[in-house]
Amino acid sequence: MPERHRAFKLIFVPLLIFSLFAQCAVVWTQLENIRDGYFDFPLYYGAAKIINDGSGAQLYNLEVQDKYQKEFRVAYHGRALPFNHPPYELLAFLIPAKFSFPVAHVLWAAMNTSLLAVILFRLFPFFDSRYRVLFALMLFAYFPTITALKMGQDSVITTLLLTETFVSLKQKRYATAGGLLALGLYKPQFVLPLVGIFILQLRWRLIFGFLLTSMALGVISLAMVGWDGLSGLLSLWLPMIQRGNVVWPELMINLRGLVYMILDLGEQTQATNALTLGLSIIAYAITLRLWPRRADEHSDLFDLLFALAVVTTTLVSFHSYSYDGTLLIIALTIMLNRVLKESAPYPARHRVFLAILIAWFVPMLPNVLLSAAVLAWWALPVPVLFCAIAIEICRSASTSPAFGHENAVRL
């Protein structure tokens, strides 16, 4: 590693190693809780068993979900964990659901660990080869990554889909990129903001791939649960606007969580949704303004634009918990790759980014915030990251031939 990076390396690498071991130690102490169904995997496992038993029409009946979860959740406390995603997502869980709950959880964790390796393999060609070990260590030491594996969540798959979208765009396979985004519609808040960017860019092949795949997934979902089942899904989505049940803004790492925590200081949380909407529109408008009409996907500048889009998606997602922060690893590695490739001493914007990075990997900090039910404060660096990438794009735009004169004028 060049001399200018040694101080950063001496701080950051031990921090990553300590963070990785600390998070693994936490998981080790929670193995019994994982086995007893304290976390989120029961909602996927139980829903997949409902499908396997041929009761798809009752999938979104909470009483039915409750009945199934009682059979394997030692940690059952009188309230089911509601499965409220489109049914096609359960295709990935049907085989694990044929096994006992502990075995299924191990299989799911093993599959997701393999997918993390795939994510690295797909991103590595776009990164400086000298820093690939560092990026791999970042991915596995990242609190949201370990949390996603521990809880049995689907966030690793979402991260893989966005990674593959990035790779497909770099290779100008637009229809494939659109299809990949459609596959992520089980959590539409992480897909639709990206689709909106490409609609305004008039990427018709991408839009066609998105719509075609979406219709195919709709047909599959309809076949799995029928019209009554799909209407039941809508009834589970409506209450997610308000706090309660499965919606806790104080645990969300997005604008909604930060706004809630700030307003809670003055006991004005009733304004959370309105203020979140306003700030989300501003963040999204800035991203649209920075994105050129025709970006050259082969350029480094496009990498930064995609990183900004991922950060924006996280900020405006409205429903995003700790494990969903796994998506941000795409933006973090893209930006860090950019910083480490620079030959000059760190400018102020790079020093700010590196400070954010170090703060995010402070061992056990998110665990402490989570235990105090104020994890939303851990999202404070996300708006700063948004600004750092936006400034980097603006500073690079005027010197990038790939950006073009017309796009530089727009900025």
Side-chain angles (χ1 to χ4, degrees), residues 115-336:
L115 293 182
L116 290 172
V118 173
I119 290 169
L120 290 171
F121 176 78
R122 297 295 283 164
L123 288 176
F124 275 170
F126 307 101
F127 294 156
D128 191 316
S129 59
R130 292 173 295 176
Y131 310 123
R132 290 177 179 176
V133 174
L134 177 64
F135 296 144
L137 187 56
M138 280 176 60
L139 176 61
F140 285 97
Y142 194 37
F143 172 72
T145 303
I146 299 295
T147 304
L149 294 174
K150 174 184 74 175
M151 299 190 72
Q153 266 287 343
D154 54 13
S155 304
V156 173
I157 293 181
T158 308
T159 305
L160 175 64
L161 290 175
L162 292 191
T163 298
E164 290 294 340
T165 298
F166 171 71
V167 173
S168 296
L169 289 171
K170 295 287 285 184
Q171 298 172 348
K172 298 184 182 294
R173 294 186 289 114
Y174 302 116
T176 301
L180 289 164
L181 286 173
L183 290 174
L185 281 171
Y186 52 82
K187 285 187 175 178
Q189 69 270 29
F190 300 123
V191 169
L192 296 182
L194 287 167
V195 174
I197 292 173
F198 295 114
I199 289 176
L200 294 178
Q201 279 221 303
L202 304 180
R203 292 290 187 186
W204 298 119
R205 281 188 290 167
L206 185 147
I207 297 166
F208 174 77
F210 177 81
L211 292 176
L212 186 63
T213 306
S214 298
M215 288 188 289
L217 295 175
V219 171
I220 292 171
S221 296
L222 182 61
M224 292 174 69
V225 302
W227 289 110
D228 290 340
L230 292 180
S231 64
L233 173 60
L234 293 176
S235 68
L236 293 182
W237 278 351
L238 294 177
M240 295 177 69
I241 298 176
Q242 302 300 326
R243 180 178 182 272
N245 194 9
V246 296
V247 179
W248 307 106
E250 59 268 37
L251 301 180
M252 294 186 182
I253 54 171
N254 55 10
L255 280 176
R256 187 184 186 185
L258 286 173
V259 168
Y260 179 89
M261 295 305 298
I262 293 171
L263 292 179
D264 187 52
L265 297 176
E267 299 182 353
Q268 299 295 323
T269 56
Q270 66 274 12
T272 296
N273 289 348
L275 186 54
T276 299
L277 177 61
L279 292 174
S280 297
I281 291 173
I282 293 172
Y284 195 60
I286 292 172
T287 302
L288 293 177
R289 180 66 178 171
L290 290 175
W291 202 287
R293 290 191 179 94
R294 287 295 175 186
D296 181 3
E297 287 84 355
H298 291 311
S299 69
D300 290 342
L301 187 55
F302 176 82
D303 299 358
L304 289 174
L305 290 165
F306 191 86
L308 181 67
V310 171
V311 175
T312 303
T313 296
T314 301
L315 280 173
V316 306
S317 57
F318 197 69
H319 191 83
S320 177
Y321 286 120
S322 56
Y323 39 79
D324 295 316
T326 308
L327 306 178
L328 287 171
I329 203 68
I330 300 172
L332 291 173
T333 50
I334 288 175
M335 184 62 180
L336 182 58

Side-chain angles (χ1 to χ4, degrees), residues 87-107:
Y88 76 86
E89 184 190 16
L90 292 175
L91 294 175
F93 294 87
L94 295 182
I95 293 178
K98 294 182 180 295
F99 297 88
S100 66
F101 178 77
V103 173
H105 204 306
V106 170
L107 290 174

